Amino acid sequence: MKLADIPTDTFNRIVKELCADGWRKTSEYDNFDAWIDCGMVVLKKGRVRLRFTWDNWTEGTVDGPEEIV
């Protein structure tokens, strides 16, 4: 399932809260424009993965299992 159009402040809060709740980053976009023009981070907990993407035009999205998203 994909959830889109997440405002930037909400997007950042969700990622921060999930990390505090035991989710760990397994990959993160780290090119020169990371989190300026675009960004991506994958969080994992157990066998579940969530992919968070962000850009400065459409803001945040999250992809993952429907029951988690």
Side-chain angles (χ1 to χ4, degrees):
M1 175 181 190
K2 183 175 189 173
L3 183 60
D5 301 318
I6 303 168
T8 298
D9 291 339
T10 302
F11 176 88
N12 290 333
R13 188 181 75 243
I14 291 168
V15 172
K16 183 178 179 179
E17 289 176 1
L18 288 174
C19 288
D21 192 37
W23 290 77
R24 65 181 178 87
K25 292 181 183 179
T26 59
S27 66
E28 184 170 1
Y29 179 75
D30 66 353
N31 222 346
F32 72 94
D33 62 345
W35 306 111
I36 297 169
D37 294 322
C38 61
M40 185 279 304
V41 63
V42 176
L43 300 181
K44 181 181 179 189
K45 188 172 187 181
R47 294 182 176 207
V48 179
R49 292 179 191 266
L50 299 175
R51 184 171 191 248
F52 291 84
T53 55
W54 176 89
D55 68 57
N56 59 3
W57 295 279
T58 60
E59 301 194 74
T61 64
V62 60
D63 291 294
E66 185 174 357
E67 63 274 8
I68 303 296
V69 174

